Amino acid sequence: VTGVQTCALPISIERLDWKEQTVVRLRFFEDMKLEEIARVTNTNLNTVKSRLYKSLRRLRELTEEEC
């Protein structure tokens, strides 16, 4: 995950909201494109983008606390 320290990443992901976790896991662990995530989650593409960027910002904060 770009710009996020990986030492506490698994713990930090668990602290995200379940909708945010889903987007992060699908994007980075399943290597899905944003359009695919929107389709499989039945969510608007802009909502997926928003959740992803919010999640990444939160992960940066959480990993800085943990590392």
Side-chain angles (χ1 to χ4, degrees):
V1 179
T2 306
V4 175
Q5 296 177 5
T6 58
C7 65
L9 193 56
I11 296 167
S12 297
I13 290 174
E14 294 298 324
R15 293 174 61 188
L16 295 174
D17 173 86
W18 69 270
K19 291 179 182 180
E20 295 169 345
Q21 282 185 37
T22 300
V23 172
V24 169
R25 291 177 192 278
L26 291 176
R27 178 68 184 103
F28 296 105
F29 296 98
E30 300 298 326
D31 201 32
M32 294 177 74
K33 295 181 180 181
L34 297 176
E35 293 81 5
E36 294 173 308
I37 296 169
R39 185 172 31 84
V40 300
T41 61
N42 197 30
T43 306
N44 181 288
L45 178 59
N46 288 329
T47 302
V48 170
K49 290 178 183 180
S50 175
R51 284 183 187 155
L52 180 62
Y53 296 116
K54 178 182 174 188
S55 300
L56 292 177
R57 187 172 44 249
R58 182 77 176 122
L59 282 173
R60 281 187 201 98
E61 294 170 0
L62 292 170
T63 55
E64 287 174 2
E65 292 172 8
E66 299 290 330
C67 293

